[in-house]
Amino acid sequence: MKLLETAHGYFETGTEIADAVLRRHEERSAAFQVDSVVVPFRDGMGVLGSVRIMVGRPYTIGSAAVPSELPELKDPDALARILDDTEDDPFDEIAYISAELDRLELPAEVCAP
């Protein structure tokens, strides 16, 4: 298991998942881009959850191996989304909505001086 450290907290996740998040972070940082990934984690009671983490510049993410009595957290679907860059990115949705709003034609009475 690995512990991911971000500006917003610590999240215990599987080793492969943490390594994929760090790889994605390094790729985005090198390209001067920002992105987000949804990371499955396990809290101290063993309850599963997920968190959206910002990756790329100017964010900082750290990782360290941690001992755990729980089995290694594995989530093949999450791992594939992180590695393949197929996350549902809210930034893409905002850009799409903004583009749609730009295309709307306003009624003449709204545009009148």
Side-chain angles (χ1 to χ4, degrees):
M1 297 286 281
K2 282 199 172 178
L3 194 65
L4 282 177
E5 178 185 2
T6 72
H8 301 289
Y10 300 91
F11 307 98
E12 187 175 321
T13 190
T15 302
E16 289 180 328
I17 295 168
D19 292 344
V21 170
L22 290 174
R23 187 174 319 131
R24 181 95 168 263
H25 175 68
E26 291 168 2
E27 290 169 358
R28 292 299 182 256
S29 292
F32 295 93
Q33 296 176 341
V34 173
D35 202 353
S36 66
V37 292
V38 176
V39 179
F41 71 92
R42 197 173 308 160
D43 70 10
M45 301 293 289
V47 178
L48 293 174
S50 63
V51 62
R52 185 173 291 274
I53 295 177
M54 301 301 295
V55 294
R57 293 191 185 230
Y59 302 100
T60 302
I61 300 175
S63 173
V66 293
S68 177
E69 294 182 14
L70 298 170
E72 179 77 16
L73 177 60
K74 295 190 181 286
D75 186 336
D77 294 333
L79 182 61
R81 284 192 312 272
I82 294 168
L83 289 173
D84 298 338
D85 192 13
T86 57
E87 294 283 339
D88 291 331
D89 192 350
F91 295 121
D92 289 342
E93 292 173 15
I94 291 170
Y96 172 76
I97 291 168
S98 296
E100 288 299 310
L101 289 174
D102 289 343
R103 284 186 246 183
L104 291 177
E105 292 187 21
L106 297 174
E109 56 271 10
V110 174
C111 297

